[in-house]
Amino acid sequence: MAVAREDMDKVLNYCRMFTELCETFLEKIVSTPGHELGDLRTLDLLLICAGHPQYEVVEISFNFWYRLGEHLYKINDAVLHSIFKPYIQRLLHALARHCQLDPDHEGVPEETDDFGEFRMRVSDLVKDLIFLVGSVECFAQLYSTLKEGNPPWEVTEAVLFIMASIAKSIDPEKNPTLIEVLEGVVRLPESVHLAVRYTSIELVGEMSEVVDRNPQFLDPVLTYLMKGLCQPALASPSAKAIQNICSVCRDHMAQHFSGLLGIAKSLDSFTLPPEASVGLLKGTALVLTRLPLDKISECLSELCSVQVESLKKLLSQDPNNGISSDPTLFLDRLAVIFRSCIEEDYGNKGKKKGCTETVAWTFTRHTAPTVENGQTHPCQRVIQEVSTKIWPVMSETLNKHRADNRIVERCCRCLRFAVRCVGKGSAALLQPLVTQMVNVYQMHQHSCFLYLGSILVDEYGMEEGCQQGLLDMLQALCVPTFQLLEHPNGLRNHPDTVDDMFRLLTRFIQRCPVVLLRSQVLVHVLQWAIAATTLDHRDANCSVMKFLRDLVHAGVSNDHEENFEVRKDLIQQVLNQFGQQLISQLLHSCCFCLPPYTLPDVAEVIWEIMIFDRPTFCRWLETSLKSLPKEMSGGAITVTHKQLTDFHKQVTSAEECKQVCWALRDFTRLFR
């Protein structure tokens, strides 16, 4: 009746009620489908809502369908899946209908308006639920609706959109439907609706695995995508599709590299958003690594020189001519070229749940070309050009935009990948780079300089000839950093600076610990580290704890280096001076400042100190516990003497770090 009366508010409210009903009984629906509270007629109610012509109605139910798919995926029971299969098929049919554009729509599908965002959510939902229906079967059914009838363009476009969502989940091996679809799409006439061409190009990009297994289609696919690249409305999806093809079909694409290089040289002639042009360049660089070694050097140099010349033009133009002088696009392009030879990730991404033993610092040259013994590395020419041609332009760009944090970050990112790419070969770059970093940082405290400094320490920290220079860099960076943090609420207002500074210090501990341990700056570093233990910013706190943990661990881990005893003595001196203060501050922070998720990191620091000198640690912990408040302001007891002694015993008798963490969790609850 609400539908008949076009009462949209009531329709939406009914759908909300039906969704809540399904979510409330979700466990029963999955465990006892069709019985009592697991009655599947509740799903019929939601599918009635999915049949409403307004897409806003079905969108209300998406969260339930996500959760249902998650439950069924975990159970992985074929019989159970078959019970829900017809319901998911009905849902997918309704979603395909909701994704249809208006018949009078002109141009390509909008991706940023409300309807475009709805379609993206539909795509995600289809990917999550397709395992219940079977991607091969669903793909074939969708294709049959196009092959057997002559549907209007808006139906064709919606079907292609759903097919693009599931194409990657289909095994391309011996699947004739995929080949037939690919062959049909690249033969679409240019007269079809622009939206159909747009979505068909996206589908081709998702079928790159099929192209890799069937290289006879590579030429027609590239021809089809190049036509799209030359049309402003289709350029962006075409660029993304070419990038996908390059990434998956690198070996087959090597023969087409000259064409890719031509595109890369004339990127600005295409109507591409920045991320699409960078992606296209990334695909080109990935194919580059599959060329013969004698070709890589020349082509890599050409790719870099195009971007360097563009940066030069920006630097030479009159700032008052009204033309944008923003160099970020060319910096991003240059960065992605260097990144083609390395893949470097630095941060917490590699950390396992519940484990804070290490912060992931990985450096994997997974796309680098293979070089046999005695062969000259193909990047040797670029190594020389980084110092002689690229660095001067980067330096001038950095100096010109030194006050703009966004541009400076892009410069540092590009330099980071350049240093990683050429490695020890960029030693000539070290001194001028560090000098400029320090000079700019004195005036503008961009934390990305600290991050770039950590990359330099990682690359050169074990080279004795570079260690003093790197220490001078650290000391020069510390002065303005500590002045910045001395401002009221400095730690809380500048968590990125804290994060990057202690990452830099951790690199020193990992690469050249004795150099840092003997330096005059260490006392100030430890004072700030102790102060920063109260900071409840996730990344910043993690970096501080990582530094403290690695600092003490350097005196615990005998890695067969000659200077282990020296390290151990130096760390003993550090703990003699700061150990009691550090333990007291860590305990206070856990009880009154830090959220529970930080406790595993704190436990690792405590564990390392205890391993280093258990008897002394026991005394420090006892003193710290005595200093904790025993009563709240109202006079109520916070913690009893027995609870204090029990905690002391649990920690000091722990045989594993996780036991310290458990004891900390239980103890800190008394103060929350």
Side-chain angles (χ1 to χ4, degrees):
M1 289 299 294
V3 173
R5 293 172 180 169
E6 298 184 357
D7 190 339
M8 191 62 179
D9 286 342
K10 278 191 176 181
V11 169
L12 292 171
N13 286 333
Y14 278 125
C15 188
R16 290 188 184 101
M17 284 190 285
F18 298 157
T19 301
E20 290 292 338
L21 181 71
C22 287
E23 290 192 346
T24 302
F25 296 147
L26 175 59
E27 299 285 349
K28 292 293 184 181
I29 291 172
V30 173
S31 61
T32 57
H35 301 285
E36 298 180 346
L37 296 180
D39 197 319
L40 295 179
R41 285 179 294 178
T42 50
L43 299 185
D44 288 322
L45 292 175
L46 277 196
L47 290 172
I48 291 172
C49 297
H52 192 277
Q54 298 294 324
Y55 72 84
E56 295 90 348
V57 179
V58 68
E59 194 170 20
I60 292 171
S61 67
F62 276 17
N63 189 58
F64 166 76
W65 295 113
Y66 278 124
R67 290 182 60 200
L68 176 64
E70 188 177 31
H71 275 66
L72 293 173
Y73 186 80
K74 287 179 179 177
I75 294 173
N76 193 23
D77 183 327
V79 176
L80 188 63
H81 289 183
S82 65
I83 295 173
F84 291 93
K85 180 177 178 178
Y87 294 93
I88 302 303
Q89 286 176 324
R90 289 165 59 191
L91 174 67
L92 295 182
H93 180 76
L95 292 176
R97 189 175 66 254
H98 281 297
C99 285
Q100 292 175 16
L101 299 167
D102 292 332
D104 57 353
H105 179 89
E106 295 182 1
V108 301
E110 289 289 339
E111 293 185 354
T112 55
D113 61 6
D114 289 344
F115 185 57
E117 290 180 3
F118 167 76
R119 281 171 43 119
M120 289 300 103
R121 291 194 67 195
V122 168
S123 177
D124 291 339
L125 183 59
V126 169
K127 290 173 184 175
D128 283 354
L129 295 177
I130 195 64
F131 73 94
L132 291 167
V133 179
S135 52
V136 175
E137 180 183 342
C138 182
F139 196 86
Q141 288 177 351
L142 288 167
Y143 180 54
S144 67
T145 63
L146 301 179
K147 188 170 64 170
E148 293 171 3
N150 188 22
W153 74 264
E154 66 273 15
V155 175
T156 300
E157 191 278 335
V159 170
L160 291 173
F161 177 78
I162 299 296
M163 291 170 75
S165 301
I166 61 178
K168 277 189 177 177
S169 63
I170 304 173
D171 183 1
E173 195 70 38
K174 298 178 181 178
N175 194 315
T177 304
L178 285 171
I179 297 172
E180 192 176 343
V181 168
L182 183 63
E183 193 172 15
V185 166
V186 298
R187 290 180 178 175
L188 280 174
E190 294 186 29
S191 59
V192 299
H193 195 285
L194 198 61
V196 175
R197 288 190 63 196
Y198 185 97
T199 305
S200 68
I201 288 170
E202 290 187 326
L203 174 58
V204 170
E206 295 296 307
M207 298 179 72
S208 50
E209 294 263 357
V210 182
V211 179
D212 190 45
R213 302 287 180 90
N214 300 274
Q216 70 271 20
F217 289 111
L218 185 58
D219 285 350
V221 163
L222 290 176
T223 301
Y224 182 68
L225 295 179
M226 278 304 301
K227 288 179 182 177
L229 191 65
C230 296
Q231 279 189 255
L234 303 176
S236 182
S238 299
K240 292 176 184 175
I242 292 172
Q243 180 190 345
N244 285 349
I245 297 290
C246 289
S247 179
V248 175
C249 313
R250 297 180 203 181
D251 292 325
H252 299 309
M253 283 295 294
Q255 61 182 309
H256 296 279
F257 184 79
S258 58
L260 290 172
L261 187 60
I263 294 172
K265 287 181 177 180
S266 56
L267 274 177
D268 295 326
S269 66
F270 301 105
T271 311
L272 289 171
E275 62 274 11
S277 65
V278 170
L280 196 52
L281 201 56
K282 179 181 179 180
T284 303
L286 290 173
V287 176
L288 171 71
T289 63
R290 294 298 192 267
L291 296 180
L293 288 177
D294 58 332
K295 292 284 186 183
I296 290 179
S297 178
E298 178 186 348
C299 295
L300 188 56
S301 179
E302 281 191 63
L303 276 179
C304 291
S305 64
V306 173
Q307 313 312 322
V308 173
E309 289 303 316
S310 297
L311 285 171
K312 280 184 180 178
K313 288 179 183 177
L314 288 180
L315 290 168
S316 62
Q317 72 182 22
D318 184 354
N320 300 315
N321 63 5
I323 301 174
S324 172
S325 60
D326 188 348
T328 54
L329 175 61
F330 304 109
L331 291 171
D332 287 347
R333 290 178 181 177
L334 201 53
V336 84
I337 294 170
F338 289 126
R339 196 173 186 175
S340 68
C341 294
I342 60 106
E343 184 64 32
E344 185 263 3
D345 189 13
Y346 172 40
N348 299 325
K349 294 177 185 176
K351 205 185 258 187
K352 296 179 182 177
K353 277 190 176 179
C355 172
T356 57
E357 184 177 357
T358 59
V359 178
W361 281 295
T362 58
F363 177 39
T364 312
R365 298 178 184 272
H366 70 100
T367 58
T370 304
V371 183
E372 302 294 337
N373 289 337
Q375 288 182 304
T376 301
H377 195 283
C379 295
Q380 189 65 41
R381 177 174 169 181
V382 178
I383 290 172
Q384 296 166 355
E385 291 185 356
V386 166
S387 298
T388 59
K389 296 182 181 179
I390 298 176
W391 165 245
V393 178
M394 293 287 295
S395 175
E396 192 176 346
T397 302
L398 186 58
N399 193 53
K400 179 179 180 179
H401 300 280
R402 59 185 177 273
D404 190 323
N405 184 64
R406 183 179 63 90
I407 295 177
V408 171
E409 279 192 348
R410 295 305 231 291
C411 284
C412 287
R413 180 173 177 271
C414 186
L415 287 167
R416 157 194 164 192
F417 288 125
V419 169
R420 289 298 202 195
C421 179
V422 301
K424 302 294 186 295
S426 61
L429 177 64
L430 190 57
Q431 185 175 355
L433 172 56
V434 168
T435 301
Q436 184 160 3
M437 282 170 55
V438 170
N439 290 339
V440 176
Y441 193 75
Q442 302 294 326
M443 297 178 288
H444 307 283
Q445 286 77 51
H446 303 298
S447 70
C448 54
F449 284 125
L450 302 174
Y451 182 88
L452 182 56
S454 72
I455 302 298
L456 296 177
V457 174
D458 192 42
E459 285 290 334
Y460 301 103
M462 298 180 76
E463 303 289 320
E464 287 190 18
C466 299
Q467 289 176 350
Q468 185 58 48
L470 292 171
L471 181 62
D472 293 341
M473 174 195 74
L474 173 66
Q475 292 172 328
L477 293 174
C478 279
V479 174
T481 299
F482 295 157
Q483 289 174 348
L484 180 69
L485 298 180
E486 282 172 356
H487 294 163
N489 294 318
L491 289 168
R492 184 170 294 277
N493 292 339
H494 303 283
D496 290 344
T497 299
V498 176
D499 183 14
D500 290 329
M501 171 53 77
F502 283 97
R503 288 185 178 198
L504 168 58
L505 291 162
T506 302
R507 292 288 200 186
F508 264 96
I509 292 297
Q510 293 171 337
R511 294 290 179 262
C512 46
V514 174
V515 174
L516 179 61
L517 291 168
R518 284 176 169 165
S519 68
Q520 295 179 347
V521 77
L522 182 64
V523 172
H524 303 288
V525 165
L526 287 167
Q527 289 170 341
W528 277 109
I530 292 171
T533 58
T534 61
L535 188 59
D536 60 357
H537 185 277
R538 183 187 291 268
D539 292 338
N541 185 273
C542 182
S543 290
V544 172
M545 296 303 169
K546 171 70 175 170
F547 164 70
L548 291 169
R549 182 258 177 203
D550 283 10
L551 174 71
V552 183
H553 186 71
V556 174
S557 172
N558 186 354
D559 47 14
H560 307 293
E561 289 187 6
E562 294 179 4
N563 62 7
F564 172 69
E565 291 301 328
V566 176
R567 285 204 321 257
K568 188 174 181 180
D569 290 342
L570 290 169
I571 291 166
Q572 183 68 67
Q573 294 172 28
V574 168
L575 290 179
N576 289 343
Q577 184 176 358
F578 292 101
Q580 179 65 74
Q581 184 185 355
L582 176 57
I583 294 298
S584 296
Q585 185 78 326
L586 287 173
L587 201 58
H588 181 273
S589 299
C590 289
C591 293
F592 303 108
C593 304
L594 299 179
Y597 64 75
T598 62
L599 296 184
D601 294 336
V602 179
E604 286 194 358
V605 179
I606 292 174
W607 172 253
E608 292 294 338
I609 296 173
M610 185 165 64
I611 292 177
F612 186 85
D613 188 348
R614 193 178 289 260
T616 306
F617 168 79
C618 293
R619 294 196 300 272
W620 288 339
L621 182 60
E622 182 180 357
T623 303
S624 301
L625 289 171
K626 288 178 180 177
S627 68
L628 289 175
K630 311 299 186 297
E631 297 180 357
M632 291 190 290
S633 56
I637 300 296
T638 303
V639 59
T640 66
H641 178 74
K642 183 178 185 305
Q643 288 169 328
L644 290 172
T645 54
D646 286 348
F647 172 69
H648 186 279
K649 182 178 180 181
Q650 288 170 355
V651 172
T652 56
S653 63
E655 296 181 356
E656 293 180 278
C657 182
K658 62 183 178 182
Q659 292 174 319
V660 177
C661 184
W662 295 338
L664 268 178
R665 287 188 191 280
D666 292 340
F667 184 70
T668 54
R669 287 194 185 106
L670 301 172
F671 296 88
R672 299 191 188 281

